[in-house]
Amino acid sequence: MIRNVHASRLIEMHMSHIYPVNDYGPLMPGLVMAAVAIFHVFLAQFAVGGGFLLCYFQWLSMTGRNQYAKLFVHGYFKVLVMISFVMGALTGVGIWFTSIQISAPTIGEMVFNFHWIWATEWSFFCLEIVAGYCFYRYHDRLTDKAALTLLVLYTFAAWASLFWINGILAWQLTPGSWVESRSIADGFFNPSFWPSLFFRTIVCLTLASLAGCVLVNMIPNLDRPAQQSLVNRAAHLMAPMVAMPILGVWFLMAMPPDSRGWVLGGSPAMMLFFMISVGASVAIGGYAVIGLWMQRLYINGATATLLLLLAFGATAGGEFVREGSRKPYSIRHVVYSSGILPEEVAELRRIGCVSNDPFPLMHEPGLPNETVTLGAKVFRRQCAVCHTMEGSNAVAHLTESWDADQMRMNIAKLQQTKPFMPPFAGTPAELEALVSYILWVQDDRPSEYAVSEDQAVLQQIAKWMDEAGTQAATVTSMEREKR
Amino acid sequence: MNIFPFNLEPSLCFYVVVYVLTLVLHAIFMTYVLAGSIYLAWASMFPGKTAIVRARSPLAEVLRDWMPFALSAAITAGVAPLLFVQIIYRQEFYTSNLLLGWRWMMVVPVLIVGFYLLYVVKSKLISQWSLAARGAVTVGVAGCFLFVAFCWTANHLLGIDAARWPDVYATGAVVSSVVSLASRLMMWVSGAFPVMCMLALWQLVYYRRRATDVASVDRQHSGPQFVSEIRVLARMGLGGLALSLMFATGYAFTLDAQIRGEFISDGIVWAPFLVVGGVFQATGWFRLLKSEGDSFAIRVLISVGCLSMLVAVGFLREMLRISKVDLTVVNASVKAAAGVGGFELFVGFTILNIGLMAYCIRLVNRRTTGE
Ligand code: HEM
């Protein structure tokens, strides 16, 4: 019942509203998004882990366990503020803005469903900057205990912001029972919430530990034994990495089977990124564990920087997998990557997906006639998030070896052609127009272009679309296909 | 009741109130940064003829010292209204973002540049640079924040101009009327000064009292320098107030007559807040111009005036926008949003976090070891 109200509201809103699409050139917006996201995740996790590291070192100094720890605390916090505090916050806003550029319906749904979670996270941001700034500004005047209190509050706030956002991001991939219940608790504590929270927390600690090692090597006038004692302590934060394999498996198990399939070989690109991520983590973990085991780990500046770069690679790989494995959805069962909702597909097949698109085509001059123009609009609405026409993942090239009928059939059955594509969501005439557009581009964009208006062709397309149905491909349908 | 926002559907009214209150919080910090950076640019270009050059005056010192924090606060405080604006004006906000395109995407890099330049401005290094170099950096900082303010204003105006969207997409001409954009933007820029002056007034007085921070500020705080500095604030506060009124009137004339009419009838409840706010501030600043030194009562008067004006402007600004959007869509979507749950969570943790923030501030006031 609630579900129905929700669906009808969405249909009403989206059907009446089409967003303008920007063409950012040959770089697919997805790549831009990934770059900003990776950068942000890296910095933000560093900020969270840095809090833990500082609390630990402050405690070491207060309990007399390490006399140099205090020196480190004051130096490290400056870096934390200058780099991650500021850049973390700003790249966070950056992700938000980029998400809007890529898929306004997606971010819209996320905000719609979880705005109070986000607002709660925001109140922790506020605590984070107040506690952090109090420490930053007054640390050399504070009593030890007051300094520790501020650091603990800072760390608590920073980690809490991870806690909240983690729920929303995990929900995108595994909405779980929320799909039926629409309960915010079900959505937040979704199947991949816990493995992903623990996993991310460990990543935070690892990043901070590595950055700590880089920094220790940069403290002027510190002799080798002093440096060694600090590096050893910083490396303690890498110990939880031993739990990573278990958490990784837990996470994979929580993933929907098809997404897991992409990662474990179904999609070569996805698997590559996954392997990069695993490989880099193993390298870092191996170094740390062996070092800790032997009790005399020393990581010099160059090695630490190298390990930090590896960690960046691991983060990048992980984020790619997280983004990519959701295909064909941007929010599983809620929104397709194209910004079209699963509930809308049937209706769009009836009324057309661009019949109320008011935005002219800007980046395709010389369109010869209305049909081709219509096709270009269909491409912009349904394909452009993942494809370009002639750049990367170019549809004109991917379809080069197909004749017109193959094109019609494969696009009509898009979700079966490649299960990480959504079902086609337009009228048969729009599909035929799309095919004309692709053929026109393949023919080098002649100024005159004849298009057929054969009713039999349209009927055949309609038949293929009906055969494929309006649902996304499921694992079972994929397997049937294989056989 | 035909009083905005209480004449709206309950859910929409609720979100509008939350939105405006969080936007006011953003505005408090944002104006400090905007007006502060403009003042610093001016001070470094025109050092003045007094014993202490403007760029070394207590006001400039305080601004330089607190600007990086104020920017962090402005950014962080901006996140909350950013959230609610997407709930209320989902389509308008996203469409104008998309139409601004790469210009909108420049906001973040420009803020990053501005932020690091603020640290350059704050560092000791810069005082050894030539006048031209110092001028370039401070003007650069102000330019960054002016650009960001321009983007927000342009985004707002584009969002409520749905009829022009296809055209803007085709031509890329994101500004439809230079007059309305300029007057609206200038209203914010000049209106930023009274708020910044109010905050700086509290800071200057605080530093004079407690000889704990920024030694150079304290030294200059005694006697005539302090009094003349307060006068500078008073003059800027008054000037900013007058200019922003002028630009606001100018902006009102760019609206069409029907909307202006509704604006006056439904928005009348906010008029007293505007008038009282303006009168309080003007009275306070005049008193400071005339008398030697300041008093707690005057500071409170100015602050209350400032806040009351900001809140009134916040609501009136929304009233105009709501009159331009499709209320059936907005009501349906906001009503559904009100049903998703989680508000209690927000209230609970916000109370906790406000408490913890107060505790942090108390801690640094009490638990310092002294110098
Ligand atoms: C120094 C940097 C900034 C300046 C100078 C600035 C300035 C402004 C101005 C002048 C407005 C009012 C626009 C109008 O009504 O015409 C505004 C609104 C707003 N700002 Fe900021 N801003 C800054 C940074 C930010 C950041 C980083 C965020 C987001 C995290 C933000 C979020 C908002 C939001 C959500 C609104 C309301 C927009 C609307 O209702 O359409 N601001 N800002």
Side-chain angles (χ1 to χ4, degrees):
Chain A
M1 168 60 196
I2 293 174
R3 167 95 226 225
N4 285 341
V5 172
H6 187 70
S8 65
R9 176 194 69 80
L10 290 176
I11 288 184
E12 179 195 321
M13 286 182 55
H14 285 263
M15 294 268 176
S16 56
H17 200 79
I18 293 184
Y19 292 105
V21 177
N22 285 318
D23 183 353
Y24 285 108
L27 274 183
M28 278 185 301
L31 287 180
V32 180
M33 177 73 194
V36 183
I38 290 163
F39 203 50
H40 172 70
V41 167
F42 190 74
L43 289 171
Q45 291 184 334
F46 170 62
V48 176
F52 284 104
L53 186 70
L54 287 167
C55 289
Y56 180 46
F57 272 51
Q58 177 72 16
W59 175 79
L60 286 175
S61 143
M62 283 167 68
T63 53
R65 285 178 166 79
N66 190 313
Q67 63 188 107
Y68 311 104
K70 195 163 184 172
L71 198 66
F72 178 82
V73 169
H74 297 302
Y76 194 97
F77 203 83
K78 283 230 169 63
V79 176
L80 201 66
V81 168
M82 293 298 275
I83 296 178
S84 67
F85 212 50
V86 177
M87 291 290 277
L90 276 170
T91 50
V93 178
I95 290 208
W96 210 327
F97 288 1
T98 325
S99 312
I100 293 170
Q101 296 291 319
I102 290 163
S103 176
T106 304
I107 189 79
E109 278 308 297
M110 292 167 75
V111 170
F112 175 85
N113 286 296
F114 292 104
H115 53 287
W116 292 118
I117 300 277
W118 244 313
T120 308
E121 188 194 3
W122 171 74
S123 86
F124 281 92
F125 285 155
C126 295
L127 174 60
E128 188 182 334
I129 67 159
V130 169
Y133 202 76
C134 283
F135 182 85
Y136 174 70
R137 203 180 161 93
Y138 300 101
H139 62 88
D140 46 5
R141 251 176 277 164
L142 289 171
T143 60
D144 271 344
K145 197 155 158 271
L148 183 62
T149 309
L150 285 179
L151 286 174
V152 168
L153 284 175
Y154 166 80
T155 310
F156 164 65
W159 184 79
S161 64
L162 174 73
F163 177 90
W164 298 114
I165 195 65
N166 175 63
I168 302 173
L169 297 181
W171 168 82
Q172 278 188 281
L173 178 63
T174 57
S177 54
W178 176 90
V179 176
E180 293 307 319
S181 71
R182 299 276 154 166
S183 129
I184 192 167
D186 287 345
F188 188 75
F189 294 111
N190 59 72
S192 64
F193 178 84
W194 292 110
S196 131
L197 179 68
F198 292 141
F199 199 88
R200 283 175 192 273
T201 305
I202 294 177
V203 172
C204 293
L205 294 172
T206 306
L207 289 181
S209 162
L210 290 173
C213 293
V214 174
L215 236 86
V216 167
N217 282 282
M218 282 162 58
I219 301 178
N221 312 325
L222 204 60
D223 58 14
R224 179 64 185 244
Q227 281 187 344
Q228 169 126 19
S229 72
L230 287 175
V231 164
N232 266 317
R233 292 295 188 169
H236 284 168
L237 260 64
M238 283 193 274
M241 281 188 89
V242 292
M244 269 189 170
I246 301 166
L247 291 171
V249 171
W250 183 5
F251 186 84
L252 279 173
M253 298 312 293
M255 271 173 120
D258 46 345
S259 298
R260 186 166 57 235
W262 309 153
V263 176
L264 298 179
S267 153
M270 213 49 64
M271 187 158 100
L272 176 73
F273 285 118
F274 179 64
M275 296 315 286
I276 290 176
S277 195
V278 172
S281 307
V282 167
I284 299 166
Y287 198 93
V289 170
I290 292 170
L292 283 171
W293 195 266
M294 292 163 67
Q295 282 291 311
R296 49 154 50 89
L297 177 72
Y298 184 74
I299 307 182
N300 66 25
T303 314
T305 308
L306 189 74
L307 290 178
L308 204 54
L309 282 175
L310 273 179
F312 188 77
T315 310
E319 285 304 304
F320 255 108
V321 170
R322 199 184 69 78
E323 279 290 316
S325 65
R326 288 199 305 264
K327 283 190 178 119
Y329 297 101
S330 59
I331 304 171
R332 199 171 169 82
H333 300 312
V334 181
V335 191
Y336 287 123
S337 304
S338 52
I340 290 170
L341 313 175
E343 301 95 307
E344 278 182 322
V345 175
E347 180 69 0
L348 290 176
R349 283 187 178 185
R350 211 173 51 76
I351 62 168
C353 67
V354 291
S355 36
N356 60 347
D357 181 350
F359 298 105
L361 288 156
M362 298 313 299
H363 300 282
E364 191 68 276
L367 288 159
N369 55 45
E370 273 180 24
T371 306
V372 176
T373 306
L374 177 67
K377 277 196 168 184
V378 174
F379 180 82
R380 182 173 70 182
R381 173 103 205 255
Q382 292 203 40
C383 321
V385 252
C386 306
H387 290 286
T388 62
M389 205 55 189
E390 292 177 296
S392 56
N393 207 14
V395 168
H397 303 155
L398 287 166
T399 52
E400 239 156 21
S401 62
W402 297 349
D403 65 27
D405 255 351
Q406 277 172 310
M407 254 187 233
R408 290 176 185 123
M409 185 180 83
N410 288 338
I411 297 175
K413 300 185 170 185
L414 202 65
Q415 73 271 47
Q416 292 172 4
T417 302
K418 286 275 152 122
F420 35 79
M421 291 197 271
F424 185 81
T427 60
E430 286 180 334
L431 196 151
E432 179 60 11
L434 174 60
V435 169
S436 306
Y437 173 52
I438 298 171
L439 291 169
W440 174 73
V441 171
Q442 286 176 346
D443 287 350
D444 283 333
R445 297 186 167 86
S447 55
E448 303 266 321
Y449 201 70
V451 291
S452 82
E453 272 158 46
D454 188 346
Q455 282 305 315
V457 169
L458 295 185
Q459 274 162 14
Q460 180 59 54
I461 291 176
K463 199 161 153 270
W464 279 323
M465 283 187 353
D466 287 343
E467 279 169 22
T470 56
Q471 303 292 312
T474 58
V475 177
T476 38
S477 74
M478 279 153 58
E479 271 163 6
R480 209 180 309 127
E481 198 72 6
K482 266 189 203 152
R483 268 184 259 126
Chain B
M1 195 167 35
N2 210 23
I3 292 170
F4 187 87
F6 306 105
N7 55 354
L8 301 171
E9 298 248 320
S11 317
L12 183 55
C13 172
F14 169 70
Y15 279 97
V16 165
V17 170
V18 179
Y19 166 78
V20 169
L21 294 182
T22 53
L23 185 68
V24 166
L25 190 67
H26 169 58
I28 290 173
F29 293 109
M30 169 272 274
T31 48
Y32 187 89
V33 175
L34 191 58
S37 64
I38 295 172
Y39 175 77
L40 282 183
W42 180 70
S44 75
M45 304 280 283
F46 305 99
K49 294 196 186 71
T50 44
I52 299 171
V53 293
R54 257 183 209 121
R56 287 270 145 251
S57 69
L59 174 60
E61 298 273 8
V62 166
L63 285 174
R64 257 198 299 275
D65 194 24
W66 280 95
M67 208 96 94
F69 173 76
L71 180 59
S72 304
I75 294 164
T76 306
V79 170
L82 179 58
L83 204 56
F84 298 120
V85 81
Q86 292 173 74
I87 294 287
I88 310 175
Y89 308 105
R90 191 203 275 231
Q91 300 177 358
E92 291 78 14
F93 186 75
Y94 291 154
T95 306
S96 54
N97 270 205
L98 286 161
L99 290 174
L100 280 168
W102 61 268
R103 280 155 286 216
W104 189 247
M105 295 305 293
M106 286 304 289
V107 166
V108 170
V110 165
L111 278 176
I112 292 176
V113 170
F115 198 92
Y116 287 110
L117 284 182
L118 278 183
Y119 274 103
V120 174
V121 169
K122 189 177 169 175
S123 73
K124 303 236 157 40
L125 219 77
I126 192 175
S127 57
Q128 289 145 28
W129 295 4
S130 71
L131 184 70
R134 262 180 289 159
V137 173
T138 48
V139 170
V141 172
C144 285
F145 300 138
L146 274 171
F147 172 78
V148 175
F150 159 80
C151 285
W152 283 104
T153 297
N155 185 67
H156 184 102
L157 289 177
L158 196 51
I160 53 180
D161 206 358
R164 275 189 67 246
W165 290 344
D167 221 35
V168 174
Y169 185 76
T171 60
V174 290
V175 177
S176 73
S177 150
V178 177
V179 176
S180 78
L181 183 117
S183 53
R184 187 179 173 112
L185 181 60
M186 284 312 294
M187 176 188 85
W188 277 107
V189 174
S190 47
F193 278 87
V195 188
M196 181 275 278
C197 291
M198 179 269 285
L199 294 170
L201 177 64
W202 285 100
Q203 288 185 298
L204 287 180
V205 172
Y206 174 84
Y207 281 136
R208 193 166 71 142
R209 292 257 174 79
R210 288 183 57 131
T212 51
D213 233 280
V214 197
S216 64
V217 175
D218 298 320
R219 236 182 294 119
Q220 295 164 11
H221 260 295
S222 45
Q225 178 68 28
F226 178 74
V227 174
S228 83
E229 209 64 3
I230 298 278
R231 293 221 172 103
V232 170
L233 287 179
R235 274 195 292 272
M236 279 200 293
L238 277 174
L241 199 61
L243 279 176
S244 70
L245 273 176
M246 195 186 90
F247 285 117
T249 314
Y251 178 68
F253 277 103
T254 67
L255 305 170
D256 37 284
Q258 190 215 339
I259 288 185
R260 201 161 49 231
E262 282 171 24
F263 187 57
I264 291 168
S265 68
D266 293 6
I268 196 75
V269 68
W270 295 106
F273 285 81
L274 276 185
V275 174
V276 169
V279 170
F280 276 22
Q281 289 185 76
T283 314
W285 292 125
F286 265 120
R287 291 282 301 278
L288 289 182
L289 262 186
K290 294 278 168 285
S291 65
E292 300 272 306
D294 78 312
S295 79
F296 183 73
I298 294 184
R299 267 176 280 144
V300 170
L301 189 74
I302 294 174
S303 309
V304 170
C306 242
L307 271 182
S308 124
M309 241 182 166
L310 274 178
V311 170
V313 167
F315 279 108
L316 289 171
R317 175 178 179 274
E318 259 2 84
M319 213 183 102
L320 276 185
R321 175 155 52 179
I322 282 190
S323 70
K324 295 248 191 162
V325 300
D326 182 348
L327 260 187
T328 39
V329 175
V330 171
N331 272 326
S333 127
V334 167
K335 198 166 172 195
V340 298
F343 179 60
E344 303 80 1
L345 200 71
F346 168 69
V347 173
F349 278 109
T350 301
I351 293 171
L352 171 78
N353 287 335
I354 290 175
L356 289 174
M357 283 186 265
Y359 179 68
C360 289
I361 292 165
R362 215 181 72 124
L363 208 61
V364 291
N365 275 329
R366 295 252 180 105
R367 293 282 179 278
T368 44
T369 51
E371 271 163 293

